[in-house]
Amino acid sequence: MRAFLVLEDGTTFEGKSLGASGCTIGEVVFNTGMTGYQEILTDPSYAGQIVTLTYPLIGNYGINPEDFESGQVQVEGFVVREAADSPSNWRSDRTLDAFLKERGIVGIQGIDTRALTRALRVRGVMMGAVSTEDTPESLLLRIKNAPNYAAADLAKKVTTPQPYRWRVEDTHPTPMEETARNVEPRYRIALLDFGVKYNILRSLAGYGCETTVYPCTATPEEVLRENPDGIFLSPGPGDPEQYDYIVRTVRGLIGKKPIMGVCMGNQILGYAFGSKTFKLKFGHRGSNHPVKDLNTGRVYITSQNHGYAVDPDGLKDGMEVAHLNLNDGTVEGLKHKELPIFSIQYHPEASPGPTDSAYFFQQYIEMLDRVYVK
Amino acid sequence: MPKDPRIKKVLLIGSGPIIIGQAAEFDYAGAQACQSLREEGIEVVLINSNPATIMTDLEMADRVYVEPLSVEFVERIIARERPDGLVATLGGQTGLNLATQVAEAGILERYNVRLLGTPLRAIRQAEDREEFRNLMRAIGEPVPESWIITDESQLGDPIASQIWPLIVRPAYTLGGTGGGIAYNVDELYAITKRGLALSMRHQVMIERYLSGWKEVEYEVMRDANDTAITVCNMENFDPMGVHTGDSIVVAPSQTLSDKEYQMLRTASLKIIRSLGIEGGCNVQLSLDPNSFAYFVIEVNPRVSRSSALASKATGYTIARVSAKIAIGMHLDEIQNAVTRKTLACFEPALDYCVLKIPRWPFDKFVGADRTITTQMKATGEVMSIDRAFEPALMKAIRSLEVGVYGLANKTAHRLSDVELEDAIRIPNDERLWAIAEAFRRGMMVEEINALSNIDPWFLRKIQGLVKLETRLKLSGSTIAQLADKLENAEENTPSIETLEQEYSRVVALLREAKRAGFADRTIAEFAGVPEMRFRRLRKALGIIPVYKMVDTCAAEFEAATPYYYSCYDKEDE
């Protein structure tokens, strides 16, 4: 079946349908990672976005039951050059196309994804639509009438409706009522969910932490009710500028418990300490971004997925820049001079991407150890 | 740290004559290193016994010695030139072995010459099988069961282990000279004897042969500040048992999930860090196709044949960066030569598929044993780039210059079914064409996988090409008809648009075939028309290639000095 991808500026690509038929509208972004499409599809930070992968052969290793980063497919639409119809990998149990159909996700294949990427690099990310039923002209009209990416409260869309737990031995979320434990946790963490990835919960569990995940609308009192040992601010989608209510919640937690933030968590901390964010022209999405740790001078290859960066100039009350991106010099991490608070803009949980930054979880534990003198 | 100010003059050892396993790729590396060092204001003294190289051109180095690559000559050059440092890791195994000997003879100490880049201890640890295995055990990286043998009388233990087949690898040789796979006691004795005779240290390693496991390589770089990156990973089309130099190789890996990719990447970085290598390094790993189990096979603590491939495949100048690391620079101080905006401290993102096919000299040596094993026989290789696997494969086949333009060669169709199965089961230079022929005869992917252990992903790609070939053959007469109509059309009647509409199905098929990499010549043959006539038709139909950049970053940044590859995609750059 024929499908079209149309960008806000009228650029049109004709290809073949991938996944479900229908129409979808979102911000079109590219990711340069060569592996990890299943993790990308299910990462809540891609809510509201139509994702294209620059690597042309996608779906080669199929979809497996394990590599999910949330319970759903989160992308608004998916764009690839070639989707594999016969994947080959021992864990694969279905094709990419079958999976997207099953989850009702509209996609397009067979287009020149490099031309699309170049268009986004030059003109910046923009709204776009993929459809199997509209003409390019009617699609353009639909894009013009659709709300802009930055206007939607996507955190509320992807956050958990109810709190849940992730115990040390869990592989899936557990309801709060389930109180039995086989392993006593080393620390109990309260996580504010703006769009958490399972691998953050798995990583924390790997260090012996039990995590209680709270909706992004939770109040500081709700988050602190069970007297957690630490607070974790998750990644998530959307323009951080509009999350006043989250910033207020986080201000209510500062100084009460040690805090680690990742991605949106980093941006929210930026706001909480007086700064703002600005939109990057085409974002950082991929598995190859070099980041310098200003403290050690060491450089790490990191997994990234963000469209906004913290403005370093406004930071106050003891918060300072700790990591910088070597490609464009933007802020990639913050650290408080006195309080046990730090955050990074990229993804220590990887999945997909390099695991070089997993040490941040270790640092968080060590920070908790210092606070609780273990 | 910027470059070490104490280093003003450097001696670079080349790789000597071109031999199997060590071809012109080391000239490429050496030439790049010369330029890289001189860019930093370093005076370069070069020794290479092979004058037929670019690196020995007068403008490449400041001083060129075309002299025998022996300890004695190196000492005389050092005595005369008094360099501050020696770079050993860019001249292949020859350069590395010679540098090791020079260092062990105490010459470097005597003349106060520093071995730059990877320290000698790391080289020893990577090259000595026993030391390497001990290190891997110490850092928790899995290595297959093995035994070090210095005399045939020590074969009792491996035989008693009952692990068959076993692979025999001689120490300190290149291209795996003298190695092989033993399926029984007799073969084990024969191969061991040969291997011992050829090893510089009279030592061979015998280990579990990982039959049917995937072979994956990572090209990694590390600087003195312990920053480490992977430049590229590569997956072998031929599973374990075929020397990498004799394998068809694809970059990046195609059948590894992110979990597998990252697991092996993490292992490779752990290894380069534990060895303390400063510069480029190649790590070969073996992955079970049915679990997360893997083994570390070996490490080349230097720029290798695979580095040259990885360099060209990604645009990342491994030898250039290695040379700068050798004089003390850090990865985040070295510019990415392609983008000129970003740094060498990143990992290239590919938005295309790269294929390497080895070139064997069997056309010159009629009657030579054409099977390929763990001992490298290829004398060269070709590389191709395209947006998908199929056209990259077809391009590479044509580049081999063996008179074959696609998936049909001159011999496979003459084989009996039994011979054909043998040609698929036992690796040989014509296996690719035997596989295509098997698909023509209706064999299934599963059957060919059972015979060859080649991943079904690759096999289905070849099967897809054979299916397309069948459709082209069936449409041959229609293609010929269309070509005729076009040639004989008077003054735009019928117009090309009318013809395109009338023949829309066959035009779509032609687009698909060109996109999949079929040569004009092949399609013309199926249609029974002259190649040039088909070519005119194709162009009239507007089926023409576009050119895309190799820019190291999948279009994320603008590139300053890119190179291009052709493909039948949409946008021409």
Side-chain angles (χ1 to χ4, degrees):
Chain A
M1 201 190 335
R2 199 160 74 148
F4 287 105
L5 162 68
V6 174
L7 300 180
E8 188 183 339
D9 67 359
T11 312
T12 302
F13 296 85
E14 184 185 339
K16 271 181 12 189
S17 163
L18 171 68
S21 48
C23 173
T24 185
I25 300 175
E27 184 182 59
V28 186
V29 298
F30 66 85
N31 182 306
T32 62
M34 295 182 286
T35 52
Y37 52 84
Q38 185 174 342
E39 292 88 336
I40 288 168
L41 287 169
T42 56
D43 175 352
S45 289
Y46 286 106
Q49 292 175 326
I50 294 172
V51 179
T52 187
L53 299 181
T54 59
Y55 188 65
L57 309 177
I58 301 299
N60 291 353
Y61 54 86
I63 297 289
N64 67 62
E66 291 159 7
D67 297 347
F68 280 86
E69 284 305 321
S70 70
Q72 274 111 278
V73 173
Q74 306 279 1
V75 303
E76 212 59 54
F78 201 44
V79 181
V80 303
R81 185 177 187 280
E82 182 180 321
D85 44 20
S86 13
S88 171
N89 189 279
W90 58 286
R91 291 190 301 155
S92 166
D93 66 359
R94 68 202 68 188
T95 65
L96 172 64
D97 182 57
F99 177 63
L100 293 176
K101 278 200 173 78
E102 181 189 304
R103 304 292 178 118
I105 301 297
V106 179
I108 183 170
Q109 58 181 317
I111 73 152
D112 187 342
T113 45
R114 184 171 163 92
L116 172 60
T117 305
R118 277 161 51 87
L120 298 174
R121 177 189 85 206
V122 174
R123 302 199 281 278
V125 294
M126 56 189 118
M127 294 297 286
V130 176
S131 176
T132 56
E133 44 206 29
D134 302 71
T135 62
E137 295 72 32
S138 70
L139 267 183
L140 197 55
L141 207 65
R142 288 179 80 155
I143 296 167
K144 296 242 155 80
N145 293 327
N148 193 272
Y149 171 81
D153 187 336
L154 292 161
K156 271 189 190 145
K157 185 183 169 215
V158 299
T159 192
T160 180
Q162 297 296 328
Y164 66 84
R165 270 197 234 286
W166 195 291
R167 295 167 303 178
V168 175
E169 290 184 315
D170 282 344
T171 54
H172 288 91
T174 305
M176 292 290 274
E177 305 80 59
E178 187 72 54
T179 49
R181 292 188 179 92
N182 290 328
V183 183
E184 238 353 86
R186 181 172 180 184
Y187 288 115
R188 289 178 313 114
I189 308 299
L191 182 143
L192 262 178
D193 179 19
F194 320 133
V196 73
K197 281 163 72 187
Y198 282 172
N199 219 41
I200 287 181
L201 302 167
R202 292 185 199 114
S203 303
L204 288 169
Y207 282 102
C209 297
E210 174 177 297
T211 307
T212 308
V213 180
Y214 292 95
C216 65
T217 49
T219 62
E221 296 69 38
E222 283 167 331
V223 174
L224 295 170
R225 189 168 296 151
E226 290 189 340
N227 193 26
D229 300 311
I231 307 286
F232 199 104
L233 306 177
S234 86
D239 182 350
E241 180 71 29
Q242 53 169 326
Y243 296 135
D244 294 347
Y245 66 98
I246 298 176
V247 174
R248 278 197 299 277
T249 309
V250 170
R251 283 207 182 110
L253 297 167
I254 289 166
K256 306 243 167 65
K257 299 284 174 187
I259 302 176
M260 171 171 170
V262 166
C263 202
M264 179 61 76
N266 179 65
Q267 293 163 351
I268 295 292
L269 280 170
Y271 277 93
F273 282 90
S275 186
K276 294 172 92 59
T277 60
F278 60 91
K279 193 173 174 76
L280 297 162
K281 193 175 181 192
F282 47 86
H284 296 174
R285 292 176 191 88
S287 301
N288 65 346
H289 290 259
V291 168
K292 188 164 201 156
D293 181 329
L294 298 180
N295 188 32
T296 61
R298 284 273 290 269
V299 180
Y300 297 88
I301 301 299
T302 66
S303 169
Q304 302 210 352
N305 169 22
H306 58 105
Y308 299 85
V310 172
D311 179 356
D313 292 339
L315 290 171
K316 57 182 189 189
D317 300 333
M319 196 59 135
E320 56 186 17
V321 175
H323 298 87
L324 284 180
N325 189 302
L326 283 184
N327 286 340
D328 61 7
T330 54
V331 173
E332 293 287 0
L334 304 173
K335 193 176 183 315
H336 198 278
K337 280 184 201 154
E338 290 123 33
L339 296 171
I341 300 174
F342 73 92
S343 58
I344 43 174
Q345 187 59 56
Y346 47 99
H347 294 274
E349 78 281 9
S351 216
T355 51
D356 303 12
S357 301
Y359 70 92
F360 279 108
F361 290 105
Q362 175 76 37
Q363 272 187 17
Y364 185 44
I365 301 300
E366 285 165 6
M367 187 168 90
L368 292 168
D369 286 347
R370 281 195 299 277
V371 171
Y372 300 103
V373 205
K374 279 204 179 174
Chain B
M1 196 168 67
K3 76 177 169 80
D4 190 333
R6 290 169 298 173
I7 304 163
K8 295 189 175 66
K9 192 175 189 179
V10 160
L11 175 65
L12 191 70
I13 303 182
S15 64
I18 287 176
I19 48 177
I20 291 180
Q22 192 165 281
E25 58 266 16
F26 294 104
D27 185 28
Y28 168 71
Q32 223 180 64
C34 285
Q35 287 171 334
S36 173
L37 293 171
R38 292 179 78 188
E39 255 171 37
E40 302 301 328
I42 305 264
E43 191 181 344
V44 180
V45 179
L46 173 73
I47 172 167
N48 193 354
S49 60
N50 183 357
T53 49
I54 311 255
M55 70 195 291
T56 52
D57 283 359
L58 289 178
E59 61 270 23
M60 292 306 294
D62 294 285
R63 298 273 205 147
V64 177
Y65 289 87
V66 180
E67 297 289 355
L69 290 174
S70 69
V71 175
E72 190 196 350
F73 274 93
V74 170
E75 179 169 12
R76 280 165 61 185
I77 293 167
I78 288 176
R80 184 169 159 170
E81 295 284 347
R82 303 304 295 252
D84 306 302
L86 170 69
V87 175
T89 50
L90 292 159
Q93 193 66 43
T94 304
L96 198 58
N97 285 352
L98 180 57
T100 310
Q101 289 164 356
V102 168
E104 282 172 353
I107 295 165
L108 298 183
E109 277 166 27
R110 199 174 311 145
Y111 294 95
N112 200 19
V113 180
R114 282 168 55 198
L115 184 66
L116 302 176
T118 302
L120 203 57
R121 179 191 46 77
I123 294 168
R124 276 204 206 100
Q125 231 171 353
E127 299 252 305
D128 186 280
R129 308 282 176 183
E130 189 96 54
E131 278 196 46
F132 179 67
R133 297 172 62 79
N134 289 339
L135 177 69
M136 290 304 104
R137 284 196 198 97
I139 63 168
E141 287 299 331
V143 280
E145 297 91 336
S146 78
W147 300 265
I148 303 282
I149 302 291
T150 52
D151 189 275
E152 287 160 71
S153 64
Q154 298 162 340
L155 286 174
D157 286 346
I159 291 168
S161 78
Q162 300 275 352
I163 295 171
W164 297 104
L166 290 166
I167 186 164
V168 181
R169 297 166 188 272
Y172 289 92
T173 63
L174 59 99
T177 310
I181 297 160
Y183 290 83
N184 55 49
V185 176
D186 289 346
E187 286 175 6
L188 185 63
Y189 271 101
I191 298 168
T192 304
K193 196 173 169 184
R194 185 179 68 200
L196 286 173
L198 287 166
S199 166
M200 195 173 104
R201 295 277 164 98
H202 203 72
Q203 187 192 83
V204 300
M205 184 171 73
I206 295 174
E207 71 179 14
R208 173 196 285 270
Y209 171 44
L210 298 161
S211 173
W213 285 39
K214 295 181 188 189
E215 193 165 349
V216 184
E217 285 180 82
Y218 280 72
E219 281 296 314
V220 286
M221 305 278 297
R222 179 181 170 276
D223 66 22
N225 195 33
D226 206 27
T227 298
I229 59 146
T230 62
V231 173
C232 177
N233 91 334
M234 291 168 272
E235 178 176 0
N236 288 7
F237 172 95
D238 302 279
M240 289 292 289
V242 172
H243 190 278
T244 318
D246 274 348
S247 286
I248 296 174
V249 174
V250 58
S253 60
Q254 301 297 334
T255 68
L256 269 58
S257 69
D258 188 62
K259 296 285 175 289
E260 291 157 330
Y261 181 102
Q262 302 303 341
M263 173 179 77
L264 300 184
R265 177 187 174 279
T266 303
S268 303
L269 293 184
K270 200 164 148 195
I271 292 166
I272 192 173
R273 287 200 163 107
S274 71
L275 285 166
I277 285 167
E278 289 170 29
C281 160
N282 160 269
V283 181
Q284 292 174 22
L285 306 116
S286 182
L287 178 67
D288 183 358
N290 297 306
S291 79
F292 281 117
Y294 71 92
F295 286 111
V296 180
I297 302 305
E298 69 170 23
V299 165
N300 284 307
R302 56 178 168 86
V303 170
S304 66
R305 176 184 51 258
S306 300
S307 322
L309 175 65
S311 269
K312 287 276 165 69
T314 61
Y316 190 102
T317 48
I318 294 176
R320 173 181 170 272
V321 174
S322 289
K324 292 201 196 293
I325 289 175
I327 54 168
M329 292 174 75
H330 293 168
L331 281 163
D332 57 315
E333 293 164 346
I334 304 168
Q335 203 182 45
N336 176 340
V338 171
T339 64
R340 293 212 192 126
K341 286 202 180 88
T342 53
L343 300 168
C345 188
F346 84 115
E347 301 195 347
L350 280 59
D351 58 2
Y352 47 79
C353 178
V354 180
L355 204 85
K356 174 209 96 177
I357 305 184
R359 175 72 162 86
W360 293 277
F362 301 131
D363 51 342
K364 300 282 192 302
F365 299 100
V366 185
D369 175 11
R370 302 182 80 130
T371 61
I372 50 182
T373 60
T374 56
Q375 179 177 333
M376 186 171 163
K377 289 181 178 174
T379 47
E381 57 193 36
V382 298
M383 186 189 95
S384 64
I385 302 182
D386 209 306
R387 295 277 281 160
F389 177 83
E390 295 90 338
L393 176 69
M394 298 294 253
K395 269 184 193 170
I397 289 173
R398 289 200 292 280
S399 308
L400 284 169
E401 296 185 12
V402 288
V404 176
Y405 301 88
L407 284 174
N409 69 354
K410 295 179 186 88
T411 51
H413 63 280
R414 293 203 212 109
L415 300 175
S416 71
D417 286 359
V418 176
E419 285 168 335
L420 191 65
E421 285 191 14
D422 279 346
I424 293 169
R425 199 183 63 245
I426 305 160
N428 64 89
D429 65 316
E430 297 184 312
R431 175 150 83 165
L432 188 58
W433 293 276
I435 291 169
E437 177 61 20
F439 280 126
R440 273 182 215 111
R441 294 185 197 177
M443 264 177 98
M444 315 269 279
V445 167
E446 293 73 20
E447 292 174 87
I448 299 178
N449 170 253
L451 286 170
S452 65
N453 285 315
I454 294 171
D455 194 282
W457 190 87
F458 296 114
L459 295 176
R460 285 204 191 91
K461 293 286 174 192
I462 298 172
Q463 188 186 36
L465 284 168
V466 170
K467 282 181 183 162
L468 193 50
E469 175 189 284
T470 310
R471 284 165 60 207
L472 282 169
K473 282 179 180 164
L474 288 172
S475 303
S477 56
T478 322
I479 298 168
Q481 215 175 64
L482 180 59
D484 279 346
K485 282 202 178 166
L486 183 88
E487 294 279 312
N488 302 322
E490 316 213 342
E491 285 298 306
N492 298 326
T493 351
S495 74
I496 188 76
E497 288 78 21
T498 320
L499 283 174
E500 235 182 297
Q501 267 174 12
E502 194 183 332
Y503 289 87
S504 63
R505 284 178 76 112
V506 81
V507 171
L509 175 64
L510 290 177
R511 274 186 207 287
E512 194 184 338
K514 288 310 291 181
R515 207 163 148 143
F518 279 86
D520 283 357
R521 180 184 171 122
T522 311
I523 303 173
E525 235 168 65
F526 296 156
V529 298
E531 185 181 344
M532 283 319 288
R533 176 177 282 203
F534 174 74
R535 196 177 165 84
R536 282 195 293 275
L537 166 69
R538 171 172 68 74
K539 287 188 166 171
L541 292 169
I543 307 174
I544 46 174
V546 296
Y547 292 83
K548 293 206 180 283
M549 273 181 198
V550 172
D551 60 9
T552 73
C553 59
E556 188 172 7
F557 304 101
E558 209 181 327
T561 56
Y563 48 99
Y564 295 84
Y565 62 93
S566 69
C567 60
Y568 285 83
D569 210 331
K570 279 278 186 308
E571 188 188 45
D572 195 2
E573 296 174 24

